[in-house]
Amino acid sequence: MDHKQRQRRLRLLIKRLNGDRKKQAKKIDILCNDLIAAQRDFIERLQPISFAACFYESIIGMTDLDKLLSAASRLIKDEIGNANVTFFLRNAESFELYMFQSDKLITTENSRLEDCFSTELVESICKSNRPCTLDDMFAMGLQGNLIRLKNISGTTIPLGEFGCSSGFILIWRSAQDPLAAEGLKKISAVAPGLSRAIEASRVLACSGDQTGRCDAIPD
């Protein structure tokens, strides 16, 4: 084998080695990207679990309804960001409304979104047993100034289990800072557990009522 042939074979060998290195580097890049994507997905899945654990740990053992809902409101606001959080709970005759102080309450000429809710609207939202947007609420009979209400981003999250509604959570704030779906999913995930805690506190309140009167929650 002469000198030229050896050089030609050497160049081919180097070319093949370089090609193999590029293929290997590409495989490593793909593997690293897959690992990063899997880690990102794991963290995203872990966040709702972490929120749920923190939420339940904070309300466990609470038997006073006002304190329970106040704590739940604070936890929801911490997760969602600045927002108005109101609890609508059904009773035999109408509904009970629980709302707690917010740093920045949104008002429209001394009126609030909660003022637009009638007993019929509350019942319709409860019977739907699903999250309702403002458009859904308008279709169900929400009454109010359309121009002002367009400046609001709001939704309801059902409270209850197994198709039996005990009420819902109303969350709203300025449309300039719309509610994020990711945060609302976290709240929806803890709603069943919060519903059980609410019902337990109401049962205890009824059992401790010296008048012996306790309004039943309609089916």
Side-chain angles (χ1 to χ4, degrees):
M1 182 182 297
D2 59 22
H3 180 68
K4 290 183 178 180
Q5 288 180 324
R6 285 197 296 270
Q7 284 185 329
R8 186 163 48 250
R9 292 189 63 181
L10 182 59
R11 284 196 297 270
L12 289 173
L13 179 61
I14 294 174
K15 184 177 181 181
R16 187 180 299 117
L17 288 173
N18 288 335
D20 290 341
R21 288 175 181 173
K22 289 180 180 179
K23 290 179 181 179
Q24 190 68 24
K26 187 175 181 179
K27 290 180 180 179
I28 292 174
D29 287 341
I30 293 173
L31 179 60
C32 289
N33 290 333
D34 288 343
L35 289 173
I36 292 172
Q39 185 180 33
R40 186 184 299 112
D41 182 65
F42 175 74
I43 293 174
E44 289 178 355
R45 292 175 181 273
L46 188 63
Q47 286 178 345
I49 298 174
S50 176
F51 170 74
C54 179
F55 186 92
Y56 289 137
E57 182 180 5
S58 298
I59 67 171
I60 191 169
M62 288 189 176
T63 57
D64 181 86
L65 183 59
D66 286 336
K67 292 181 179 179
L68 170 65
L69 295 180
S70 178
S73 176
R74 184 181 65 256
L75 291 164
I76 292 172
K77 290 175 184 177
D78 288 345
E79 179 61 32
I80 294 290
N82 182 59
N84 297 279
V85 177
T86 305
F87 300 90
F88 288 78
L89 303 183
R90 302 167 81 191
N91 58 32
E93 299 175 355
S94 180
F95 63 88
E96 300 169 352
L97 188 149
Y98 294 82
M99 54 193 301
F100 303 90
Q101 184 65 36
S102 174
D103 292 336
K104 294 182 180 179
L105 297 178
I106 304 170
T107 60
T108 54
E109 293 185 358
N110 298 322
S111 65
R112 294 173 53 83
L113 178 59
E114 290 83 354
D115 299 331
C116 302
F117 281 70
S118 64
T119 301
E120 292 74 17
L121 176 58
V122 171
E123 279 298 305
S124 296
I125 295 174
C126 289
K127 289 178 180 178
S128 72
N129 201 33
R130 61 178 174 83
C132 294
T133 63
L134 278 178
D135 288 339
D136 295 328
M137 289 181 254
F138 277 123
M140 294 177 183
L142 176 66
Q143 300 293 324
N145 187 301
L146 294 178
I147 296 177
R148 293 194 180 99
L149 291 177
K150 283 183 178 179
N151 295 323
I152 289 175
S153 172
T155 189
T156 64
I157 295 177
L159 291 169
E161 289 187 290
F162 310 115
C164 182
S165 173
S166 57
F168 58 88
I169 310 169
L170 172 66
I171 304 174
W172 63 284
R173 66 184 178 202
S174 171
Q176 295 179 352
D177 183 19
L179 297 170
E182 182 179 351
L184 295 177
K185 287 180 180 179
K186 293 180 183 179
I187 308 305
S188 296
V190 299
L194 176 60
S195 301
R196 289 193 294 269
I198 290 172
E199 291 309 304
S201 65
R202 296 177 87 178
V203 169
L204 287 173
C206 290
S207 63
D209 188 350
Q210 294 181 355
T211 66
R213 179 179 178 277
C214 179
D215 291 332
I217 299 174
D219 295 329

